Amino acid sequence: MKRTTHAKYAAAALAGTTVLAACGTETVGTGTEDVSTIADTSWVPRKVTVDGKDYVLPEKGARRHAHIDFKPGAAEPDVGGGKSGGSVGCNSIGADVDIQGDTVKVSDLAMTLIGCGGALGRFEEKFVGVFDNDLEAELKGPPGNRTLTLTSPQNDTITLREEKAPALKGTRWSLGEIAYLTLTRNNTVTGSLGCNTFTGRAVVKDGTIEFGRLATTRMMCEGPVMKAERELAEILSGKVAYQQERDSLKITKGPGQSVTAHVK
């Protein structure tokens, strides 16, 4: 994101001020596991503790969208916000991150300008105030179910949980209000095209899914629905490429022919 305004994060940011704050003071961490591994996964912020008071990420909808990724490195010159960051459910957050031992140094933090009120706005304000620092990191728990605690020089903390990506097979991937598909472990697929349901063969291999001929029901729906159904059926035919990122699944048939599914 391009740099626009430099400012300390404050309540005014929730009304639409871009955030670009300075670094904190370096600390020495005492994490129990290799902190560099936090760059290998996404993290869901669950709680921020400031001056002994806990602020918990609210709303189920916000939790579905909330994630923080750590990608060490700096942004290009004159660009505010690096590749690290994500969202706590409202604004997009970008920052530079440097991992040194058990210290996660967050700097050049920038945000989008959405005004977020209520509990979510308060949580975001507290999160950013702690996150934009040199943070002592501690990892606990088994792989796939780890907890990451980040502690600021002021002893305020952010608690994040490791986000486990949904399995490609066995997950119901939503393609809209009604349409969906589920890939099974025995190389079949079931779902709905929006009007008619379908079953068929689907073999996943090397970043591709090869769909066999889909057997569908023969219901007739309104014209726009049937048109969308035919377009979706065309994409879900033959060999297609797929890309899974967190809880989204993009299926591409060819130029201009793709659909992105999500986990609801």
Side-chain angles (χ1 to χ4, degrees):
M1 56 186 80
K2 292 293 183 182
R3 187 190 310 275
T4 54
T5 304
H6 296 265
K8 287 285 185 180
Y9 192 90
L14 300 178
T17 302
T18 303
V19 179
L20 290 165
C23 302
T25 304
E26 184 174 358
T27 61
V28 179
T30 58
T32 58
E33 297 185 22
D34 183 4
V35 171
S36 67
T37 62
I38 67 173
D40 296 335
T41 189
S42 287
W43 299 86
V44 178
R46 292 300 182 91
K47 182 178 69 174
V48 180
T49 303
V50 178
D51 295 330
K53 182 176 179 179
D54 292 339
Y55 299 84
V56 178
L57 179 66
E59 304 175 14
K60 292 182 179 180
R63 292 191 179 194
R64 186 169 75 85
H65 296 289
H67 72 284
I68 297 295
D69 298 321
F70 297 91
K71 299 179 180 179
E76 297 177 4
D78 300 322
V79 176
K83 296 180 179 180
S84 294
S87 173
V88 299
C90 185
N91 282 285
S92 295
I93 301 170
D96 293 335
V97 163
D98 183 20
I99 300 175
Q100 298 181 4
D102 292 332
T103 300
V104 178
K105 301 168 71 70
V106 179
S107 61
D108 196 24
L109 189 148
M111 293 178 63
T112 53
L113 308 178
I114 301 171
C116 312
L120 181 58
R122 288 192 295 274
F123 182 85
E124 182 178 75
E125 179 185 0
K126 299 301 181 181
F127 176 90
V128 173
V130 178
F131 189 61
D132 191 25
N133 268 302
D134 290 0
L135 301 163
E136 178 184 323
E138 183 179 27
L139 271 174
K140 291 184 178 180
N145 192 30
R146 296 178 297 172
T147 298
L148 171 63
T149 303
L150 302 174
T151 303
S152 74
Q154 295 76 34
N155 288 320
D156 298 324
T157 62
I158 297 173
T159 303
L160 307 98
R161 291 293 301 273
E162 185 172 10
E163 181 182 51
K164 188 175 181 180
L168 175 63
K169 294 184 177 182
T171 296
R172 179 176 169 130
W173 296 98
S174 174
L175 296 161
E177 291 298 321
I178 300 176
Y180 71 93
L181 65 84
T182 302
L183 298 160
T184 69
R185 300 186 184 280
N186 60 346
N187 295 326
T188 62
V189 62
T190 62
S192 169
L193 295 170
C195 177
N196 289 282
T197 58
F198 67 87
T199 60
R201 185 167 176 78
V203 179
V204 179
K205 184 178 181 181
D206 300 329
T208 66
I209 304 172
E210 187 165 0
F211 291 99
R213 184 180 179 86
L214 299 181
T216 70
T217 54
R218 297 181 178 275
M219 294 176 58
M220 293 298 296
C221 295
E222 296 180 357
V225 176
M226 295 305 296
K227 181 177 182 293
E229 179 166 292
R230 288 192 295 271
E231 292 173 351
L232 180 56
E234 173 60 25
I235 294 173
L236 304 180
S237 64
K239 183 177 285 190
V240 302
Y242 78 89
Q243 182 178 13
Q244 182 181 351
E245 184 175 348
R246 299 183 63 240
D247 60 352
S248 69
L249 175 66
K250 184 176 182 179
I251 297 173
T252 303
K253 174 74 171 180
Q257 287 186 297
S258 68
V259 63
T260 300
H262 297 275
V263 178
K264 284 192 175 181

